[in-house]
Amino acid sequence: MLRRWSKAISPISNFGSRSHLNFVQNVTRQSYAGVAPAPTIEDKPQPREVNPDKMFWSKPCSLALPPDSPLRVEEPNYQGIKRFMLKLMMFYSKQSMSIRGANVVYRRIISQVDKPPIYEVFNLEKTFKTTFSLLVLHMWLCLRRLKQEGKEGVEFGQYLYEIYNHDVELRVSKAGVNLLLTKWMKELEKIFYGNIVAYDTAILPEAKPSDFSNAIWRNIFSEDGSSTEDNAASQSVQALARYARREVSCMTLTDIEALSSGNFMFTSLKHENRTGKGPQ
């Protein structure tokens, strides 16, 4: 049985241990990042000019989609005998509607994590490790907001977590891991909870200003478990920390109806990549 995400264990102090790093690196070697042959120099697109120092300084705002957005997803409004039959089959039960909403929320997460802009903006290589780490970060953003709604939010978060867990299992299988899959999934579960606890702790009011960026560095950028931030990656780490902090504030401003129905979008990284603004 899956562990309930809301009952996270005590902080996992050895998250950056050699065994966990070796595990993720083993998956990385088999990641889908290396499936396709590398393009020739002539075929490679020219990298966009990105200045991380100028990004994610704008004032937080609600992430809810406007009523006329073509990206909105609405509950099917069947009528007559079809609606009656669907009601008998529990299609409109609270649980069924929550599961459908959680699926849409997860698709929003995947849309942000699987596409090139997030790797371009934060200068990350698309490997299993980075994709998984970004996936956990965005799951944390959603689960943290859902917890603010009390019991109902926690229940919805459990549906979201189960969808996430199934997707991760498929990703691990796609990376070529077929033997000892259960063991590998348990390791990823430990990493998931370790990240969640680290982010929760680092964003507390009493935490040091650098704690959150240090957590971002260790969980997403660091390759050897080092707690010392690499100077070469410092700009990207700070930019990702600003992005995540801003999304936390934006999530708080997003009403629960928009969140639970999936009618929201994370901050557009394409827009930031194109028209990044400096501190305001």
Side-chain angles (χ1 to χ4, degrees):
M1 181 177 292
L2 293 173
R3 179 188 303 169
R4 291 189 67 84
W5 71 269
S6 57
K7 296 182 179 178
I9 56 178
S10 58
I12 301 174
S13 58
N14 66 338
F15 164 68
S17 67
R18 180 64 58 187
S19 61
H20 283 166
L21 282 168
N22 289 342
F23 164 74
V24 177
Q25 287 168 355
N26 285 338
V27 181
T28 300
R29 294 191 190 102
Q30 305 174 66
S31 71
Y32 47 77
V35 172
T40 62
I41 295 177
E42 292 77 8
D43 294 335
K44 287 184 178 179
Q46 292 299 315
R48 299 179 182 180
E49 187 174 342
V50 176
N51 187 345
D53 287 338
K54 294 184 177 181
M55 296 178 174
F56 311 112
W57 295 99
S58 57
K59 184 179 179 180
C61 60
S62 171
L63 300 176
L65 292 170
D68 59 346
S69 172
L71 299 176
R72 288 185 64 86
V73 176
E74 304 293 348
E75 272 287 312
N77 186 24
Y78 299 113
Q79 299 297 326
I81 187 64
K82 190 170 186 179
R83 185 178 185 89
F84 175 75
M85 294 300 294
L86 287 172
K87 276 188 174 182
L88 290 179
M89 293 186 290
M90 307 301 290
F91 181 81
Y92 288 108
S93 70
K94 181 180 177 182
Q95 182 182 37
S96 294
M97 293 176 69
S98 293
I99 292 172
R100 287 197 295 276
N103 271 287
V104 181
V105 172
Y106 194 71
R107 289 205 300 270
R108 302 298 188 194
I109 293 174
I110 292 304
S111 178
Q112 189 80 336
V113 168
D114 271 352
K115 294 182 179 177
I118 199 166
Y119 302 92
E120 295 170 357
V121 167
F122 300 116
N123 296 311
L124 290 165
E125 182 183 359
K126 189 173 184 181
T127 64
F128 182 94
K129 176 185 181 296
T130 54
T131 300
F132 174 76
S133 300
L134 290 170
L135 181 58
V136 174
L137 176 66
H138 287 78
M139 280 290 292
W140 170 72
L141 290 170
C142 292
L143 294 176
R144 184 181 184 278
R145 173 65 181 89
L146 287 166
K147 266 190 175 181
Q148 295 172 0
E149 299 299 315
K151 182 180 178 181
E152 288 195 0
V154 170
E155 289 177 353
F156 186 94
Q158 183 64 25
Y159 295 129
L160 179 61
Y161 174 75
E162 289 170 2
I163 294 166
Y164 148 85
N165 203 68
H166 178 66
D167 179 56
V168 170
E169 185 172 342
L170 292 176
R171 288 169 184 263
V172 172
S173 296
K174 186 181 290 187
V177 179
N178 295 313
L179 298 176
L180 302 175
L181 180 60
T182 300
K183 179 181 178 181
W184 287 50
M185 288 300 297
K186 287 181 178 178
E187 289 292 331
L188 287 176
E189 183 183 42
K190 291 179 182 178
I191 295 173
F192 174 87
Y193 282 110
N195 285 14
I196 293 292
V197 171
Y199 295 140
D200 276 340
T201 303
I203 208 167
L204 291 172
E206 60 268 26
K208 298 177 182 178
S210 60
D211 285 353
F212 192 70
S213 59
N214 288 340
I216 292 289
W217 159 256
R218 290 193 307 271
N219 294 340
I220 299 176
F221 288 86
S222 178
E223 294 292 341
D224 59 2
S226 170
S227 59
T228 304
E229 188 176 306
D230 185 343
N231 290 334
S234 179
Q235 281 186 318
S236 298
V237 172
Q238 296 301 319
L240 183 50
R242 283 197 305 275
Y243 161 79
R245 282 187 177 275
R246 186 180 183 280
E247 295 302 271
V248 166
S249 299
C250 290
M251 279 286 186
T252 300
L253 296 172
T254 304
D255 64 86
I256 190 60
E257 288 78 12
L259 178 61
S260 60
S261 64
N263 284 314
F264 72 96
M265 293 290 288
F266 291 102
T267 296
S268 172
L269 295 169
K270 289 182 179 180
H271 176 76
E272 287 285 343
N273 198 359
R274 186 174 64 251
T275 61
K277 297 179 181 179
Q280 295 179 355

